[in-house]
Each structure stands twice: as C-alpha cells, then as structure tokens.
C-alpha cells in the first residue's frame, strides 16, 4: 500500500501536465479577467471585467453601474467591431451619461409623479425626469459601485454583480439584495440574469440600458437597422411619457414592427405618439400568449443590412422599451472620439411596463418578503448572409 502513493502522485502530475499541454496547444487562457478601470471621486477602485468566448467575441463590463462598456462581434465577413456606445474612461460615465450600458434599478423607466401606494402606505420617490421618477432616481443602480466576481461555468464565462440597496434608498421601501449576472456563451449569447430579494414589499423592475449600433459604435445613425418586435400592442404615453393605461394595437401605425421594418421608415410620421416620445420611446407589449412568465420568449430581432449583424433578444419579461436614441444630440464625445449625434444608437430594454405601481391593470412589479425576483434576458449575436450566414 505504502508504495502506491508516489505512483498515484506521479500519475496525477502526468495527467495535469498533459492537460496543461493540451490547453496551451489550443491557445487556452482564462477567459474571464479583471483589471482596474478607474477611480471614483471618493477613491474607490472600479474594476473592468473582460469576457471572451471561443469565437473571439469580447464583452467588457465595469463595477460602476454594472456598465457594459464594449461588445466586439464579427460582421458577415468576420470583421470585428465594437457595437455599443459609451466612453473610454470612468470619468465619462461618472460625469454625465444617458445610462450608456448600465444596469437600471430599482425601477426601469418611469413612475408617475415619483409616487405610489402599496399596502396602504404612500411612498415618495426622487423626481428626476420632469415631474416623474426615471430609472431608479437621482442615484439609481447605474450610479453605484457593485461587488463583482468572475466565473467560468458550464454555460460560459461570466461575471456576477451584487449590490445591497438600503431601506429607503431613493425613497423605496425595503432592503433590496440585487444580483445581476452576465454570462457569455460559446454560441455568442450574452445571458443576463437578474435576481433580487427584499425584506419589505417593494416595486422592482430591473433592466439593461445598452445602446447598440450594429454597424459599429459611432458609425452613423441607426435608422437603416431593420427591427422586428413580437408585439402587436404597445402602451401609448402622455407628453411626460407616462402610459395612459391603454393597450393599443400597433396595426396601421408607425409602431407596427411585427414584420422587419427599418427604424427610420415611419419615425418621421406626424403621429401624436411619436411627437410625445420625440421618436420611439415606448413600451411594447409582447405577444407572449400562453407562454409562462418563466419561459424565454423571442421579443426582438434587429438586422443591420450593410454589415449583416443580427441581434436577437429573448426574455422572460412581458414588455420591451424601444428607445431610438432621440435625446442624443451631438453633445457627447464618446469612445474613440466618436460624437454621438441624433439616433446614433438604440436601446431595447426588456421590462415590466412603465408606471406599473400606479396601473392596477398592468402585470404587477411588487416583490414581497420571501419571494424571489427572477428575470432573464438573452442577447444572441449573429450575422445574416455572407460567409458566416445564418
Ligand atoms: C429610456 C427612457 C428614455 C430616456 C432614455 C435615456 O429609454 O424611456 O426616455 O430616458 O432611457 O435617455
């Protein structure tokens, strides 16, 4: 018995050596790495996480706001570009940002007058968008530093972000433990998992505010992108972008994206809703039919015809906010000195409907103690036509 130990150790060493060799032959390297990205004004370090898959797709995200700062994917000829808007450095994100790439919470989109009632109590939230509360308030989840940890799992390589929002933060009740995980798979999907628990009943509606330009960051406006949404209805809004409560049909309106349609095709029409939104800035009601809330459902497909890049979005959420970059006005100098002119990026924010805490007929956004908030969205990157065609 005695003599077998060295033999076992030797075999183990040989096996490990063989594996190491195999890895280096395949160019294996850890595919989730982190490094400092910058310093907050109070001296805290913000880390940058890099996720890389076997096809060379690279996604970078930082601990400030869980912001996705870049996504590099190939076009139909295999040429890689960064397809999201943002800044080169932390200072840009801290100084001023229209939520580039960020996690949005506690509540994505607007709550009318920054007020809601729940179980007999009325809560007052920060009003940071005219008379309304937007994207979690003055200092939402996009403006806090998250704890982070990278991992390599069966599904792919990822990073998990954690943030504890104290009771009363921005006016919301309850201590909210939030967790958002980004997993990059080897079939070029980014899986975004949202999880939260609370010790008091509170509204929660987490989303992701990446601005895409599938032709490449800073390359022009997004009006030629062809968009398809699995939504035969949407929620019209008033002049302050609060839903009127109506679930309106898109048929015969510029909101009909049930078949692939260029974003620019109807954006200039004289339509009251387009006037209110200064373009598209609306929640679309997904045609989920009987599919259960925990099922992934294909909400959107976007094709950029020149590069052939395709983005498909799957979600467990009942709605998706389509925002056509209407507030971009050329005043922001972003990555690589790119100026972000009108409509140089678009957002597709999977979510529950805006102002749900004040709209009893909308699906509920209330999370209660003992329950788990679970939401998943998948961005599938691909190309259409050409050598890598799908
Ligand atoms: C969301 C809102 C828009 C705008 C953008 C960011 O899409 O609905 O009105 O605030 O975020 O500018």
């Amino acid at each position: 018995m005695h003599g077998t130990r060295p033999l076992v150790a030797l075999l183990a060493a040989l096996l490990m050596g063989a594996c190491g060799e195999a890895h280096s032959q395949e160019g294996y390297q850890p595919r989730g790495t982190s490094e400092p990205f910058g310093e907050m004004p109070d001296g805290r370090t913000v880390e940058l996480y890099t996720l890389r898959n076997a096809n060379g797709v690279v996604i970078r995200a930082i601990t400030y706001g869980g912001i996705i700062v870049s996504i590099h994917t190939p076009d139909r000829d295999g040429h890689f570009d960064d397809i999201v808007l943002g800044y080169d450095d932390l200072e840009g994100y801290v100084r001023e940002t229209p939520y580039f790439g960020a996690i949005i919470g506690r509540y994505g989109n607007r709550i009318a007058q920054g007020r809601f009632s729940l179980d007999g109590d009325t809560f007052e939230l920060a009003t940071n968008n005219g008379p309304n509360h937007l994207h979690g308030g003055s200092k939402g989840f996009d403006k806090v530093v998250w704890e982070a940890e990278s991992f390599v799992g069966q599904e792919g390589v990822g990073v998990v972000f954690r943030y504890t929002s104290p009771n009363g933060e921005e006016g919301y009740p309850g201590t909210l433990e939030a967790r958002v995980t980004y997993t990059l798979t080897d079939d070029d999907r980014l899986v975004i998992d949202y999880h939260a628990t609370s010790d008091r009943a509170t509204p929660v509606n987490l989303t992701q505010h990446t601005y895409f330009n599938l032709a490449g960051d800073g390359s022009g406006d997004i009006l030629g992108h062809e968009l398809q949404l699995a939504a035969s209805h949407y929620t019209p809004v008033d002049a302050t972008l609060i839903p009127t409560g109506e679930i309106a049909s898109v048929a015969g309106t510029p909101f009909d994206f049930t078949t692939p349609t260029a974003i620019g095709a109807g954006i200039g029409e004289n339509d009251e809703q387009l006037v209110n939104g200064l373009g598209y800035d609306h929640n679309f009601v997904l045609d989920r039919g009987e599919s259960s809330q925990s099922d992934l459902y294909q909400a959107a497909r976007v094709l950029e015809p020149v590069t052939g890049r395709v983005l498909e979005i799957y979600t467990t959420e009942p709605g998706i906010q389509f925002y056509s970059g209407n507030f971009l006005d050329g005043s922001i100098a972003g990555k690589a000195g790119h100026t972000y002119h009108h409509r140089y990026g678009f957002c597709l924010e999977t979510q529950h409907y805006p102002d749900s805490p004040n709209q009893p007929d909308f699906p509920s956004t209330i999370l209660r103690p003992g329950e788990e908030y679970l939401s998943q969205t998948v961005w599938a990157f691909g190309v259409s036509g050409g050598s890598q065609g799908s």
Side-chain angles (χ1 to χ4, degrees):
M1 288 301 287
H2 223 79
T4 58
R5 278 180 186 248
L7 188 60
V8 169
L10 180 68
L11 278 172
L14 278 172
L15 271 172
M16 282 175 71
C19 290
E21 183 65 15
H23 281 160
S24 65
Q25 276 170 3
E26 289 164 16
Y28 177 88
Q29 48 179 300
R31 294 176 297 156
T33 56
S34 73
E35 63 198 278
F37 185 66
E39 254 188 29
M40 293 293 289
D42 65 9
R44 278 178 300 166
T45 301
V46 167
E47 289 287 312
L48 169 74
Y49 283 79
T50 299
L51 312 179
R52 187 186 308 270
N53 79 2
N55 306 322
V57 170
V58 180
I59 297 184
R60 294 192 169 88
I62 59 174
T63 52
Y64 179 69
I67 291 171
I68 293 176
V69 298
S70 64
I71 298 181
H72 286 84
T73 69
D75 67 10
R76 65 159 72 92
D77 299 320
H79 175 82
F80 280 74
D81 275 311
D82 185 0
I83 58 164
V84 303
L85 279 59
Y87 291 106
D88 285 323
D89 56 20
L90 180 62
E91 211 238 312
Y93 290 105
V94 172
R95 190 174 2 103
E96 196 226 336
T97 169
Y99 307 96
F100 285 144
I103 297 170
I104 304 296
R106 293 187 188 189
Y107 198 97
N109 214 277
R110 293 176 178 76
I111 295 178
Q113 311 288 319
R115 190 179 304 131
F116 66 93
S117 296
L118 179 57
D119 300 338
D121 291 321
T122 297
F123 295 93
E124 298 281 344
L125 307 172
T127 47
N128 57 324
N129 186 248
N132 302 319
H133 177 84
L134 174 67
H135 292 335
S138 321
K139 191 179 175 198
F141 286 5
D142 59 300
K143 295 184 183 63
V144 300
V145 179
W146 296 62
E147 297 289 323
E149 211 180 331
S150 62
F151 63 88
V152 182
Q154 262 185 343
E155 301 287 310
V157 60
V159 54
V160 49
F161 291 106
R162 289 190 176 81
Y163 175 65
T164 301
S165 172
N167 179 36
E169 189 172 45
E170 299 293 317
Y172 288 100
T175 304
L176 191 83
E177 302 279 353
R179 190 173 80 211
V180 179
T181 308
Y182 299 147
T183 309
L184 174 62
T185 68
D186 278 338
D187 61 354
D188 300 347
R189 289 166 180 251
L190 182 69
V191 181
I192 307 173
D193 284 292
Y194 303 89
H195 180 272
T197 55
S198 175
D199 59 4
R200 282 179 70 185
T202 191
V204 186
N205 192 26
L206 304 180
T207 189
Q208 226 294 339
H209 209 297
T210 285
Y211 286 67
F212 293 98
N213 186 326
L214 300 182
D217 168 51
S219 65
D221 69 48
I222 46 75
L223 299 178
H225 286 56
E226 290 165 19
L227 170 67
Q228 186 170 12
L229 293 172
S232 51
H233 292 81
Y234 76 115
T235 51
V237 289
D238 68 16
T240 72
L241 297 187
I242 294 294
T244 59
E246 186 193 353
I247 306 283
S249 168
V250 298
T253 78
F255 290 80
D256 189 348
F257 288 97
T258 53
T259 55
T261 305
I263 291 173
I267 204 168
E269 280 184 31
N270 186 14
D271 174 284
E272 189 196 1
Q273 284 302 313
L274 288 174
V275 171
N276 286 349
L278 303 173
Y280 296 104
D281 195 349
H282 294 77
N283 170 65
F284 286 74
V285 174
L286 297 174
D287 294 331
R288 298 189 62 103
E290 296 304 303
S291 82
S292 114
Q293 236 212 285
S294 55
D295 291 342
L296 277 177
Y297 180 79
Q298 184 170 353
R301 183 176 195 271
V302 191
L303 163 70
E304 198 291 302
V306 178
T307 59
R309 284 198 186 87
V310 171
L311 167 67
E312 290 177 346
I313 300 185
Y314 301 80
T315 188
T316 56
E317 289 295 311
I320 192 165
Q321 182 87 6
F322 169 40
Y323 171 59
S324 51
N326 313 313
F327 294 126
L328 299 175
D329 61 3
S331 62
I332 291 179
K335 286 187 275 190
H338 294 150
T339 300
Y340 295 141
H341 296 286
H342 200 210
R343 299 179 177 149
Y344 262 40
F346 67 88
C347 303
L348 285 167
E349 304 152 63
T350 51
Q351 61 181 13
H352 273 53
Y353 313 163
D355 199 31
S356 296
N358 295 309
Q359 301 267 359
D361 294 334
F362 288 178
S364 171
T365 51
I366 304 302
L367 174 70
R368 294 185 179 277
E371 293 176 350
E372 277 182 299
Y373 173 92
L374 284 169
S375 172
Q376 189 178 68
T377 288
V378 176
W379 298 342
F381 302 104
V383 289
S384 171
S387 51
Q388 315 196 354
S390 60

